[in-house]
């Protein structure tokens, strides 16, 4: 189960006209997991408008189960400007007032083996409180996965945002963040120090992605690093989300999820972590080789 924002990315750059892509980090993770063969339910917010129709069709076409009704508010957008390297700088038009889960969403939460949350949905009020509530409700039976995917343009109170992020980290089993996320959150220390601090907060596996520098991870038993895959980059949109979904998928395949397996995950060997993050890096490489957040299917990952 995945909870968080769904929106439409309107990307501009170079000589081409702006292109609209369905996006939102948590929604991308849900689609990525579904394409890797997992049964996934998604809770987000999007409207009864043209962009909301795009999101609905995208989820339906990728066999992601929609667990929340569409809203009367306009669908959120992120306008991105691509630089020559394919990285986007965003401005957002977004609202996030998710209510505590009930009905079919609450039932799905009770049955979930893994709950993934993150990005804007984890810190933007007032809906962030409902995300934290869902994590607290699920932790007794499910593995908790978290990707803060920081959007600094939406953070007005940095200390408050850090407090929310650290609270979710303390309840999480799997955490991924980019080096730029961690440098913005904690400029006084390097990313590896923050990863170690998050491990001490309670996480079992903390992974830092360094773009073309490849991923690095730390667990109680040590560290692991994998190489990035060299590809021709179309853009980097959704790369971290594809990495996140593949990371979760690899742990599911190794039967390291659910609360019953928490001690086993906490004791994971660094050699196994290397296998897991290498698989995730290969998934991310496929995504950056094509436009927009377009995660791979399992058969595409060699």
């Amino acid at each position: 189960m995945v909870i968080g924002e769904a929106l439409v990315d309107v990307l501009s750059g170079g000589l081409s006209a702006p292109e609209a892509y369905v996006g939102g980090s948590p929604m991308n993770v849900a689609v990525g997991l579904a394409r890797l063969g997992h049964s996934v339910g998604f809770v987000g917010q999007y409207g009864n408008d043209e962009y909301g129709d795009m999101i609905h069709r995208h989820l339906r076409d990728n066999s992601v189960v929609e667990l929340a009704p569409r809203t009367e508010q306009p669908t959120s957008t992120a306008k991105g400007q691509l630089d020559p390297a394919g990285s986007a700088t965003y401005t957002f038009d977004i609202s996030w007032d998710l209510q505590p889960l009930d009905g079919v969403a609450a039932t799905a939460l009770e049955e979930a083996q893994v709950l993934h949350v993150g990005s804007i949905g984890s810190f933007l009020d007032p809906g962030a409180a409902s995300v934290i509530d869902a994590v607290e409700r699920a932790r007794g039976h499910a593995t908790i996965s978290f990707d803060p995917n920081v959007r600094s343009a939406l953070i007005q109170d940095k200390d408050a945002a850090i407090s929310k992020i650290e609270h979710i980290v303390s309840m999480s089993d799997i955490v991924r963040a980019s080096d730029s996320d961690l440098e913005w959150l904690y400029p006084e220390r390097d990313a590896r120090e923050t990863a170690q601090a998050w491990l001490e907060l309670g996480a079992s596996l903390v992974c830092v992605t360094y773009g073309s520098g490849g991923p690095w991870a730390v667990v109680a038993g040590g560290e692991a690093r994998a190489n990035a895959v060299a590809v021709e980059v179309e853009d980097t949109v959704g790369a971290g989300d594809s990495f996140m979904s593949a990371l979760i998928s690899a742990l599911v395949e190794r039967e390291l999820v659910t609360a019953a397996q928490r001690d086993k995950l906490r004791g994971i060997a660094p050699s196994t972590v290397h296998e897991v993050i290498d698989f995730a890096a290969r998934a991310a490489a496929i995504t950056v080789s094509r436009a927009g957040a377009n995660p791979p299917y399992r058969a595409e990952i060699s």
Side-chain angles (χ1 to χ4, degrees), residues 220-244:
E223 304 176 4
R225 177 175 284 282
N227 294 323
V229 179
V231 295
E232 185 173 342
V233 175
E234 178 68 23
D235 65 50
T236 63
V237 177
D241 307 326
S242 292
F243 184 97
M244 187 80 250

Side-chain angles (χ1 to χ4, degrees), residues 79-101:
K79 294 182 179 179
Q81 184 68 37
L82 294 172
D83 65 19
S87 296
T89 301
Y90 291 101
T91 56
F92 294 91
D93 182 3
I94 186 169
S95 63
W96 180 245
D97 58 357
L98 184 73
Q99 300 301 303
L101 303 191

Side-chain angles (χ1 to χ4, degrees), residues 15 20 35 57 94 166 168 178 186 200 206-207 230 278-279 296:
L15 300 176
R35 289 188 179 184
R57 287 194 300 269
I94 186 169
E166 290 181 346
I168 298 177
S178 71
Y186 308 100
E200 293 169 3
V206 180
C207 183
D278 179 70
F279 176 75

Side-chain angles (χ1 to χ4, degrees), residues 20-276:
Y21 300 95
V22 174
S25 175
M27 195 219 62
N28 293 338
V29 172
V31 170
L33 282 164
R35 289 188 179 184
L36 293 173
H38 303 283
S39 175
V40 186
F42 176 69
V43 174
Q45 288 185 312
Y46 41 96
N48 287 298
D49 51 24
E50 181 180 357
Y51 284 160
D53 290 343
M54 288 176 60
I55 293 170
H56 168 71
R57 287 194 300 269
H58 188 63
L59 292 169
R60 180 197 62 197
D61 292 348
N62 285 284
S63 302
V64 176
V65 178
E66 297 170 87
L67 297 172
R70 292 164 71 170
T71 72
E72 296 305 315
Q73 297 177 336
T75 299
S76 298
T77 60
K79 294 182 179 179
Q81 184 68 37
L82 294 172
D83 65 19
S87 296
T89 301
Y90 291 101
T91 56
F92 294 91
D93 182 3
I94 186 169
S95 63
W96 180 245
D97 58 357
L98 184 73
Q99 300 301 303
L101 303 191
D102 59 10
V104 64
T107 299
L109 184 67
E110 293 171 1
E111 297 174 351
Q113 294 185 334
V114 178
L115 172 64
H116 175 77
V117 301
S119 195
I120 296 166
S122 65
F123 66 78
L124 189 64
D125 291 325
S130 295
V131 174
I132 292 172
D133 174 70
V135 171
E136 291 171 344
R137 289 160 62 180
R139 194 175 189 281
H141 61 272
T143 292
I144 306 299
S145 167
F146 177 45
D147 179 357
N149 193 37
V150 174
R151 300 303 186 194
S152 58
L154 292 172
I155 296 177
Q156 297 180 339
D157 186 334
K158 183 175 180 179
D159 289 341
I162 290 173
S163 178
K164 290 174 186 173
I165 287 169
E166 290 181 346
H167 181 48
I168 298 177
V169 168
S170 74
M171 298 185 288
S172 296
D173 301 289
I174 307 159
V175 183
R176 182 212 79 102
S178 71
D179 59 330
S180 57
D181 286 340
L182 299 186
E183 287 165 6
W184 186 86
L185 288 168
Y186 308 100
E188 72 281 2
R189 63 191 186 196
D190 68 29
R192 292 165 69 99
E193 290 176 313
T194 295
Q196 186 64 51
W198 282 5
L199 198 72
E200 293 169 3
L201 275 177
S204 295
L205 187 160
V206 180
C207 183
V208 182
T209 50
Y210 290 85
S212 61
W216 169 87
V218 60
V219 294
E223 304 176 4
R225 177 175 284 282
N227 294 323
V229 179
V231 295
E232 185 173 342
V233 175
E234 178 68 23
D235 65 50
T236 63
V237 177
D241 307 326
S242 292
F243 184 97
M244 187 80 250
S245 56
L247 176 62
I248 296 168
S249 178
L251 294 170
V252 170
E253 291 174 358
R254 288 164 176 76
E255 299 183 346
L256 290 169
V257 299
T258 74
Q261 301 301 319
R262 187 161 282 138
D263 288 343
K264 188 176 178 183
L265 176 61
R266 195 172 298 278
I268 188 172
S271 58
T272 303
V273 176
H274 171 79
E275 295 171 359
V276 166

